[in-house]
């Protein structure tokens, strides 16, 4: 008998070659976990689709297609996608694990950023988005 999606996505659970360490966040389509590649011992970020979305073949196919497209993107300001797949009905996308503060946290902490600081943050971001668009990738969920 296959474990429930919730059991498959709890800390310590193994999804393919990845062991989930902790939940980092969630969005409208899924959750992101810190995970460890079991063979390499490497920390990664693993994004999953919410259980209901994984049961829809069209959503599942789009998720895998978008993961494959993102894996082709090479840019110093874009996260590296290293794997995509489906295990026991759970679709996942594996990315490099980034450490640091997100823009939302920075804005909360500093409240006001100088124009030069804003440009230093946004210009590399826009460069990565332009590279993605050149590859036919449209990012649908940008947020700080």
């Amino acid at each position: 008998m296959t474990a429930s999606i919730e059991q498959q996505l709890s800390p310590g659970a193994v999804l393919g070659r990845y062991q989930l360490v902790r939940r980092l966040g969630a969005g409208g389509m899924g959750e992101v976990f810190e995970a460890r590649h079991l063979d390499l011992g490497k920390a990664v970020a693993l994004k999953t689709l919410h259980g209901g979305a994984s049961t829809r073949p069209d959503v599942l196919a789009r998720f895998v297609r978008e993961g494959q497209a993102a894996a082709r993107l090479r840019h110093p300001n874009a996260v590296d996608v290293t794997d995509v797949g489906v295990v026991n009905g759970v679709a996942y996308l594996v990315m490099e694990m980034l450490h640091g503060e997100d823009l939302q946290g920075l804005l909360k902490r500093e409240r006001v950023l100088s124009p030069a600081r804003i440009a230093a943050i946004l210009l590399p971001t826009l460069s990565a988005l332009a590279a993605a668009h050149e590859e036919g990738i449209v990012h649908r969920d940008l947020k700080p």
Side-chain angles (χ1 to χ4, degrees), residues 23-103:
R23 183 175 174 267
L24 297 174
M29 291 296 291
E31 297 177 280
V32 178
F33 296 86
E34 176 182 347
R36 186 175 58 83
H37 189 291
L38 293 172
D39 297 326
L40 302 176
K42 179 179 180 178
V44 297
L46 188 142
K47 180 178 181 178
T48 63
L49 276 178
H50 285 310
S54 287
T55 62
R56 293 190 39 205
D58 59 323
V59 174
L60 190 58
R62 187 178 83 198
F63 183 82
V64 171
R65 245 187 349 266
E66 288 177 356
Q68 291 167 336
R72 291 190 301 271
L73 180 62
R74 295 286 178 262
H75 190 278
N77 303 111
V79 68
D80 189 28
V81 174
T82 59
D83 199 2
V84 64
V86 181
V87 173
N88 296 329
V90 178
Y92 66 90
L93 175 79
V94 180
M95 302 165 279
E96 67 180 303
M97 181 70 172
L98 300 178
H99 299 280
E101 184 175 34
D102 63 14
L103 180 57

